[in-house]
Amino acid sequence: MKRLVLKFGGTSVGTTDRIKKVANIVKNRHQEGNEIIVIVSAMAGTTNDLKEKSNLISKNFESKELDVLLSSGEQVSSSLLSGALIDKGVKSRSWLGWQIPIVTDNNHTASQIIQIKTDEILKFISDGGVAVIAGFQGITKNGRITTLGRGGSDLSAVAIAKFFETDSCEIYTDVEGVLTTDPNIHEKAKKIEKISYEEMLEMSSLGAKVMQPGAVQASMIEDIPIHVRSTFSDKPGTKIISESEIDYKKTVTGIAYSKNNAKISIVGVVDKPGVAADVFEPIGKNNINIDMVIQNTSLDGKTANITFTIKQEDLKKTLNIIEENKQIINYKKITHNDKLAMVSIIGAGMIASPGVTHKMFRSLANEQINILAISTSEIKISVLILEDMTKKAVKILHKTFELN
Ligand code: ADP
Ligand code: ASP
Ligand code: MG
C-alpha cells in the first residue's frame, strides 16, 4: 500500500463536471489500494475574481483580510470534491488549513509553512477515507488565516508530502506536464520527461507558471520528487527529480519568459564604494524585487550609470523612492522604459557546452531582436527585450536549441 498526495489545479476543478471527473480519478487511485490525500486549488478564475473585489474596496486592501477572502475559493472546491467522492461511495472529508492545522509564519499573502499536524488525517486515511485538503492556506500561531502566495496549492502539496511522508507527490494540471516552453506562446512546445529541481526552479522563477517557485524550492530542499501530469489524460507527465538521475543530451532544457518588466537607469552617480547600496537599500526595504543589475563606468572614470529591472507594477513606486533619496544617491538623471520582457534559456547541459551564449545572441540578432540587458547563471541565460518581441524570441530560441 502506498500513500499518495494528488494535487488538482484550478482548471482541473474549474466546473462541477470536472470535479466529478477528478472524483473518478481519485476513486480509481484509491481502489488500487492506496492511501490518498488530495489537495485542491480554487475553481479556475475564483482567486482572481476575489482579488478584483478587494481592489474595488481598496487598492491597499489589508493583507490579513485579503488572506481570509482569497482562501475562501479553496473552501468551495474542497467541499465540492469531497461531496463528489461521497456521492460515488468513497468515504471522504474535507479539511481547511486551520482545521488541521497547517501552521505558517505571519507573512500574510506569502506565508511559509512551519508545521502540519498529521494524526487526525493519518487515522482517517488508514481507516480507508480520502482526505481532501484545501490548498493555498494556513493559519498563524495567533489564529489568523494566511495564504501561501499565488499558485500556492503547489506548495501545500509539497509540504503535505513532506509532513505525511508520502510515497509520491503528483501535481495534476491542464497540460501534459512541464513543457519546453509555454504552449500558449508556442505550439511546438514539447513535454519534458525529466527535469532537475534546479532547472525547474529557474523555469518557474523566470515565468513558467506550471509550478510555483516556492513549491519547487521546498521539493528541492527536502528532495521530494514531483510528478507533474495531466488531469485529462493517463499519460505519464514530467518527473522533477535530482540532477544526478538525469542524463543530459541537450544543452537547453526549456525556455521561459515573463512580461511586464521595466528598466530604470540612474545616470551619473559618483563611482565610489557604497553607491549601489545607497540605491538598492531603500528599494529593498519597500519589498520591491530587483531582477537584473548592470553598472557601467563613464569614460572619465568618475561617474557611473546603474541600470536595473523590476516588475512594471513597481515602476512608479520605485521612481518615487529614488527621487525621495536624491540627496543621498546623488545622480544626474533617471531614465526608464516599460513594456519589456525577459526571455530565458534554461538547461543544466549548458555547464558542459561552451558557445551557448553567442548562439543565443546571434539567433536573436538574426531576427532583429535587440538585447537591452543580460543576466546569467550556471544553468540559465536571460535577456531583456521589448515586450512585443517575446513570441518571436521564444520561437527562434526554441528552434536554435533543437527543442522543436
Ligand atoms: P493549475 O491551475 O493546474 O495550477 P496553472 O495555470 O497554475 O495550472 O499552470 C499551468 C499552466 O502553466 C499551463 O496551462 C500553461 O499555460 C502554463 N505554462 C507556462 N509555461 C509552461 C511550461 N513550460 N510548461 C507547462 N505549462 C506552462
Ligand atoms: N487559488 C490560488 C491561486 O489562484 C492557489 C493556486 O491555484 O494554487 O493562486
Ligand atoms: Mg498553479
Side-chain angles (χ1 to χ4, degrees):
M1 181 192 285
K2 287 197 166 149
R3 185 179 297 161
L4 315 179
V5 164
L6 312 178
K7 179 254 167 179
F8 292 89
T11 319
S12 308
V13 296
T15 62
T16 45
D17 279 340
R18 286 193 170 175
I19 289 178
K20 288 183 193 167
K21 189 176 159 31
V22 166
N24 284 332
I25 297 176
V26 174
K27 184 178 176 180
N28 288 338
R29 302 295 298 272
H30 188 241
Q31 280 178 341
E32 287 163 8
N34 301 303
E35 287 185 346
I36 309 264
I37 305 176
V38 181
I39 321 288
V40 280
S41 295
M43 296 170 80
T46 304
T47 315
N48 286 345
D49 289 347
L50 294 167
K51 183 82 187 35
E52 268 168 36
K53 287 201 174 76
S54 74
N55 281 339
L56 294 176
I57 299 284
S58 161
K59 291 267 175 289
N60 279 318
F61 199 87
E62 203 222 16
S63 61
K64 295 183 180 79
E65 290 306 329
L66 188 61
D67 278 348
V68 177
L69 180 69
L70 297 192
S71 64
S72 67
E74 274 73 7
Q75 176 158 355
V76 173
S77 53
S78 57
S79 58
L80 285 173
L81 179 59
S82 206
L85 285 163
I86 294 166
D87 192 59
K88 291 181 190 299
V90 179
K91 175 179 165 179
S92 177
R93 142 175 195 190
S94 65
W95 270 269
L96 299 178
W98 66 268
Q99 293 176 303
I100 299 175
I102 294 176
V103 182
T104 72
D105 62 17
N106 47 23
N107 184 21
H108 285 272
T109 74
S111 299
Q112 294 287 338
I113 294 172
I114 299 169
Q115 185 62 40
I116 301 178
K117 198 159 165 275
T118 55
D119 43 0
E120 189 180 49
I121 289 176
L122 279 179
K123 175 152 193 333
F124 187 78
I125 58 174
S126 70
D127 288 346
V130 170
V132 180
I133 296 178
F136 182 51
Q137 52 180 266
I139 187 165
T140 66
K141 285 180 184 144
N142 302 329
R144 303 294 308 252
I145 303 280
T146 52
T147 61
L148 311 177
R150 294 307 304 270
S153 299
D154 295 335
L155 179 57
S156 307
V158 174
I160 297 282
K162 173 189 164 188
F163 283 96
F164 287 82
E165 296 176 350
T166 64
D167 296 291
S168 83
C169 179
E170 300 177 41
I171 306 285
Y172 281 86
T173 185
D174 59 351
V175 281
E176 285 177 83
V178 180
L179 310 181
T180 48
T181 192
D182 182 356
N184 292 314
I185 204 167
H186 196 12
E187 67 291 345
K188 290 194 173 151
K190 293 256 156 22
K191 184 176 75 190
I192 301 167
E193 270 174 35
K194 295 174 187 174
I195 186 169
S196 69
Y197 297 123
E198 290 81 2
E199 289 173 307
M200 192 63 232
L201 184 56
E202 293 281 13
M203 288 276 285
S204 19
S205 310
L206 295 166
K209 194 188 163 204
V210 60
M211 281 294 300
Q212 191 212 31
V216 181
Q217 193 178 28
S219 71
M220 181 164 92
I221 292 169
E222 301 294 338
D223 193 12
I224 295 172
I226 294 175
H227 183 186
V228 182
R229 58 186 303 182
S230 171
T231 304
F232 309 106
S233 103
D234 286 336
K235 282 195 229 150
T238 302
K239 301 272 166 57
I240 307 173
I241 50 178
S242 157
E243 196 182 302
S244 58
E245 291 173 58
I246 303 173
D247 180 19
Y248 286 100
K249 296 203 179 71
K250 286 187 174 162
T251 11
V252 171
T253 305
I255 297 167
Y257 68 92
S258 72
K259 291 188 173 177
N260 301 319
N261 290 276
K263 175 166 83 76
I264 297 180
S265 293
I266 309 179
V267 180
V269 295
V270 182
D271 193 8
K272 60 164 199 222
V275 175
D278 289 340
V279 171
F280 294 118
E281 193 175 299
I283 300 172
K285 279 191 176 152
N286 280 278
N287 285 325
I288 293 168
N289 270 328
I290 313 269
D291 278 319
M292 300 168 152
V293 180
I294 304 161
Q295 176 168 337
N296 32 31
T297 315
S298 67
L299 287 175
D300 62 14
K302 288 181 189 140
T303 60
N305 302 334
I306 295 179
T307 299
F308 59 93
T309 65
I310 48 172
K311 283 282 156 215
Q312 207 154 287
E313 64 206 37
D314 293 328
L315 181 60
K316 243 194 186 144
K317 196 172 166 192
T318 312
L319 290 172
N320 285 340
I321 294 170
I322 297 168
E323 270 157 29
E324 278 162 20
N325 287 278
K326 184 161 195 212
Q327 296 291 333
I328 303 167
I329 303 171
N330 189 13
Y331 56 88
K332 290 210 180 82
K333 65 170 186 179
I334 318 177
T335 62
H336 66 267
N337 309 54
D338 56 2
K339 299 211 167 49
L340 302 177
M342 188 151 71
V343 175
S344 310
I345 57 171
I346 294 117
M350 271 185 216
I351 301 171
S353 333
V356 186
T357 316
H358 88 250
K359 211 169 163 187
M360 178 184 194
F361 298 168
R362 178 62 63 205
S363 67
L364 293 172
N366 288 343
E367 297 289 312
Q368 306 298 321
I369 299 170
N370 196 23
I371 300 173
L372 306 173
I374 300 161
S375 93
T376 64
S377 80
E378 240 187 346
I379 61 163
K380 67 112 189 188
I381 305 170
S382 303
V383 294
L384 191 71
I385 60 171
L386 293 179
E387 199 175 274
D388 53 14
M389 292 286 176
T390 312
K391 202 170 190 161
K392 206 173 173 188
V394 170
K395 287 192 168 185
I396 188 64
L397 295 173
H398 204 264
K399 187 166 169 218
T400 302
F401 293 101
E402 294 159 14
L403 301 173
N404 279 358

